[in-house]
Amino acid sequence: MTAAKSSAPGMMFIALILVPWLVATWFYSADRVVWECHLDFEMLVTSSDQRVERTLGSYSQFFYGNNLGFSRISGRKVHALKNHQTQVHNFYRFMDFKYVQAGPYLKNKITKITRKQGDTLSDDQELAFMSVPGEDVYDQVLKLGPNTYSFGRLGMPRQICQGRQGWLMPRLR
């Protein structure tokens, strides 16, 4: 009976020390998504010969705590041809990337692009937000709130990103 009474406070003391560390490890695990960015977009391009190209899509980025991430882009590209006909191409792609903070910018390097089933857009056609593997892409970062940022790339719509404060942009607090 005496041994049971003396071990209970010791177990309670050990639990009070270990539980916060276990919770912190679970919350701030490097393989969890710590930032997400989402953007629905529409782009309209008219060429000098009066051909029109319209792209409708959705673009998302997911950043892990270990400086790795992936993007997914999907949608439809419609070409209006001179003879009043249209060509429609679907695209479904995933891009793996590495990222680092570079001052007020975020530098992404695409490591791999994967085309998914149903992607009918040829590789020679340009697609918004797409880069070739190995290319460095710089996004400017603007803090909007305690855990909300806006990412912008030259000539592209801004993405709104949310995540845990301090993980991705600790210097911008």
Side-chain angles (χ1 to χ4, degrees), residues 1-11:
M1 181 91 174
T2 323
K5 284 184 180 179
S6 65
S7 66
M11 294 296 281

Side-chain angles (χ1 to χ4, degrees), residues 72-86:
R72 68 176 175 224
I73 186 168
S74 62
R76 175 172 291 169
K77 195 171 217 178
V78 179
H79 298 281
L81 304 174
K82 285 183 180 180
N83 56 5
H84 301 292
Q85 292 182 342
T86 59

Side-chain angles (χ1 to χ4, degrees), residues 64-162:
Y64 295 105
N66 56 2
N67 290 2
L68 297 175
F70 75 94
S71 302
R72 68 176 175 224
I73 186 168
S74 62
R76 175 172 291 169
K77 195 171 217 178
V78 179
H79 298 281
L81 304 174
K82 285 183 180 180
N83 56 5
H84 301 292
Q85 292 182 342
T86 59
Q87 286 181 340
V88 179
H89 299 281
N90 296 318
F91 52 89
Y92 306 101
R93 299 189 185 171
F94 283 80
M95 295 161 284
D96 295 325
F97 61 86
K98 294 179 181 178
Y99 70 91
V100 294
Q101 183 178 349
Y105 299 95
L106 192 67
K107 180 175 131 180
N108 290 353
K109 183 181 287 265
I110 304 295
T111 56
K112 180 178 148 187
I113 297 175
T114 307
R115 295 170 66 117
K116 296 299 179 181
Q117 186 175 355
D119 188 323
T120 60
L121 188 67
S122 64
D123 288 332
D124 62 339
Q125 294 188 40
E126 288 187 25
L127 188 56
F129 302 107
M130 290 287 296
S131 301
V132 297
E135 182 179 356
D136 289 334
V137 176
Y138 291 87
D139 294 322
Q140 187 174 21
V141 182
L142 175 65
K143 185 173 182 175
L144 301 176
N147 63 347
T148 306
Y149 292 88
S150 172
F151 287 9
R153 193 182 305 175
L154 188 61
M156 297 291 169
R158 287 197 169 273
Q159 302 174 59
I160 303 299
C161 307
Q162 294 190 336

Side-chain angles (χ1 to χ4, degrees), residues 29-49:
S29 173
D31 59 351
R32 291 175 51 102
V33 171
V34 294
W35 283 88
E36 294 181 23
C37 307
H38 304 286
L39 172 70
D40 293 325
F41 65 92
E42 178 179 6
M43 299 180 107
L44 185 64
V45 177
T46 305
S47 63
S48 59
D49 60 354

